[in-house]
Amino acid sequence: MQRAGAEEAAGGAGAAPAGRLLKRELRLLESIFHRGHERFRIGSACPDEISCEFVPGPGARAGGSASRGPPPGPVRIHCNITESYPAVPPIWSVESDDPNLAAILERLVEVRKGNTLLLQHLKRIISDLCKLYNLPQHPDVEMLDQPLPAEQSTQEEVSSEEEDEEMPEDTEDLDHYEMKEEEPADGKKTEDEGIGKENLAILEKIKKNQRQDYLNGAVSGSVQATDRLMKELRDIYRSPSFKGGYYAVELVNDSLYDWNVKILKVDEDSALHNDLQILKEKEGTDFILLNFSFKDNFPFDPPFVRVVSPVLSGGYVLGGGAICMELLTKQGWSSAYSIESVIMQISATLVKGKARVQFGANKNQYSLTRAQQSYKSLVQIHEKNGWYTPPKEDG
């Protein structure tokens, strides 16, 4: 593989900067996979971000299944490109919790590096998606191997007239900027619709932190978990229950894998509601604080959920703050569950289990270590005895 990318990045005389090479890649992509393409479409493209979608179409079956049913819908894919491209590969994500799609993106590490890494990544993605949906390889994919479009100014013009060199680049940037602004139907504007400005800022901060972690070689989590958690958080931010003040969500240290959830409203006819009103008078807080901890294999394993405060009796809350609910175990969990539905179910279960605030209790009795120990014992007990008649005193 050629090493021209490194030489150009070093600034050799007459070498095209990596940014200009990237723009030529983007022009080629847009010329091949326009918005009306039958199989793959570039929705928006600029030097730091691309939104696109794969359209399986009629006859497609996920995993090559021959079973009848509606064809799968479009696969929406996003790409973030850092200033260090092509030394740092593009960062891909997909709007789905399908592990097959996550696996396709994870296999991109096998693609050898080079100047046109973006094009080679997309070639691999489209080819693998065609295989996944039992579709023939689209002939346009081979066009990604053709030479890049010529630059809009010759090398002699670049050497002698630097001002003339800048004009095509500025115009190009403007074209890409306008393309993003003109895309209200199927891009960031659609997925962000209904989300408040403060919460949009949180989502954007998460994305920036992820990019920085990638550059620093400190990536945590997995592609599938990160994509799903971003979707869950986005869905929560546009949820009527969230906007109605039934609960609040805060990321611990800006980590997508560690959430503090405040249950702000419970059944007004419950004893727990009255206890929370008294708690507000005594301590200035009237909510139940939960902590959700997610692992790399989410959503295929449940989050670990515990009560942080206040100390409760009843409500299927165990020692240390663990919660006795089957849906929070591998046995009862489903990857189809949304985090909001889990939050609302926990809120209802606390009331159903007649949870009460233990005023004056030692607040230190709730800890992560004790909650994990209680949860482990809980799982072992129910694996042997089932979940048919949980003891009232401990879940």
Side-chain angles (χ1 to χ4, degrees):
M1 187 65 69
Q2 298 178 9
R3 296 184 57 84
E7 294 168 2
E8 286 154 358
R20 284 164 57 192
L21 287 173
L22 174 59
K23 291 173 184 177
R24 291 163 65 191
E25 287 187 84
L26 294 177
R27 286 206 304 273
L28 179 60
L29 280 177
E30 291 169 330
S31 68
I32 300 172
F33 298 111
H34 49 81
R35 296 190 183 187
H37 196 275
E38 62 180 355
R39 182 66 69 229
F40 193 80
R41 301 166 182 172
I42 301 295
S44 65
C46 60
D48 62 355
E49 189 171 8
I50 302 173
S51 293
C52 47
E53 67 177 14
F54 179 86
V55 185
R61 291 292 179 268
S65 172
S67 61
R68 294 185 177 182
V75 179
R76 292 183 172 86
I77 304 169
H78 300 281
C79 174
N80 294 111
I81 306 172
T82 70
E83 294 179 354
S84 302
Y85 176 86
V88 174
I91 305 170
W92 298 91
S93 61
V94 60
E95 292 184 17
S96 172
D97 57 0
D98 186 340
N100 293 316
L101 298 177
I104 287 175
L105 299 186
E106 290 171 355
R107 286 197 296 269
L108 292 176
V109 296
E110 302 170 2
V111 179
R112 297 177 63 187
K113 291 187 177 182
N115 279 352
T116 59
L117 189 57
L118 174 63
L119 300 183
Q120 297 309 309
H121 271 195
L122 275 173
K123 181 179 180 181
R124 179 67 174 268
I125 290 172
I126 299 170
S127 299
D128 285 356
L129 285 172
C130 286
K131 292 177 183 177
L132 176 64
Y133 291 107
N134 199 29
L135 295 168
Q137 183 70 270
H138 198 284
D140 288 352
V141 173
E142 298 304 321
M143 296 176 66
L144 293 173
D145 290 329
Q146 67 180 320
L148 294 178
E151 293 188 71
Q152 296 184 1
S153 58
T154 65
Q155 192 61 48
E156 290 182 359
E157 291 172 337
V158 171
S159 301
S160 61
E161 299 179 14
E162 294 183 359
E163 293 183 359
D164 291 342
E165 175 206 32
E166 295 175 358
M167 290 183 61
E169 289 194 38
D170 292 342
T171 304
E172 213 169 281
D173 287 342
L174 182 61
D175 289 341
H176 286 301
Y177 177 78
E178 291 173 346
M179 182 184 298
K180 290 186 69 176
E181 292 297 307
E182 292 171 354
E183 196 221 352
D186 56 302
K188 290 177 64 178
K189 289 193 175 182
T190 299
E191 68 181 19
D192 292 343
E193 185 177 353
I195 301 177
K197 291 183 178 179
E198 290 184 4
N199 296 323
L200 281 175
I202 293 174
L203 293 171
E204 188 60 32
K205 184 178 181 180
I206 294 171
K207 292 179 181 178
K208 288 182 179 179
N209 289 343
Q210 289 173 346
R211 294 174 193 169
Q212 190 60 48
D213 288 345
Y214 187 92
L215 291 175
N216 295 338
V219 178
S220 60
S222 66
V223 173
Q224 70 182 23
T226 298
D227 287 347
R228 176 62 178 265
L229 287 170
M230 284 294 286
K231 178 181 182 299
E232 292 288 345
L233 193 57
R234 190 177 285 111
D235 289 345
I236 282 173
Y237 284 157
R238 63 163 65 95
S239 160
S241 296
F242 176 81
K243 293 180 178 179
Y246 285 86
Y247 66 93
V249 174
E250 180 180 289
L251 303 186
V252 180
N253 296 323
D254 296 324
S255 171
L256 195 57
Y257 288 76
D258 193 3
W259 298 16
N260 277 343
V261 176
K262 295 178 181 178
I263 296 180
L264 303 172
K265 293 182 181 180
V266 297
D267 186 350
E268 294 183 356
D269 296 327
S270 66
L272 181 59
H273 177 269
N274 293 333
D275 285 353
L276 291 175
Q277 297 305 306
I278 297 174
L279 186 67
K280 183 177 182 179
E281 295 177 2
K282 290 187 173 184
E283 301 182 14
T285 58
D286 59 349
F287 57 82
I288 298 169
L289 179 61
L290 308 175
N291 179 261
F292 281 62
S293 178
F294 303 90
K295 294 183 178 180
D296 294 358
N297 51 358
F298 179 81
F300 303 106
D301 277 358
F304 179 71
V305 185
R306 65 186 179 97
V307 177
V308 177
S309 66
V311 176
L312 301 175
S313 63
Y316 306 111
V317 180
L318 308 178
I323 302 175
C324 179
M325 291 178 64
E326 185 179 12
L327 70 82
L328 295 177
T329 68
K330 289 185 178 182
Q331 179 182 349
W333 176 257
S334 168
S335 61
Y337 291 157
S338 70
I339 298 303
E340 179 179 70
S341 67
V342 174
I343 294 171
M344 301 306 289
Q345 184 63 42
I346 291 174
S347 178
T349 299
L350 291 174
V351 172
K352 180 181 178 181
K354 299 180 181 180
R356 300 295 302 269
V357 175
Q358 291 293 95
F359 297 101
N362 180 7
K363 297 178 182 179
N364 293 329
Q365 65 181 279
Y366 278 4
S367 68
L368 175 59
T369 301
R370 288 197 63 195
Q372 290 173 334
Q373 292 172 348
S374 297
Y375 174 81
K376 185 177 180 180
S377 299
L378 161 78
V379 171
Q380 291 174 344
I381 291 171
H382 286 297
E383 281 180 348
K384 292 181 179 179
N385 303 324
W387 288 83
Y388 305 107
T389 54
K392 293 181 179 180
E393 66 272 12
D394 64 357

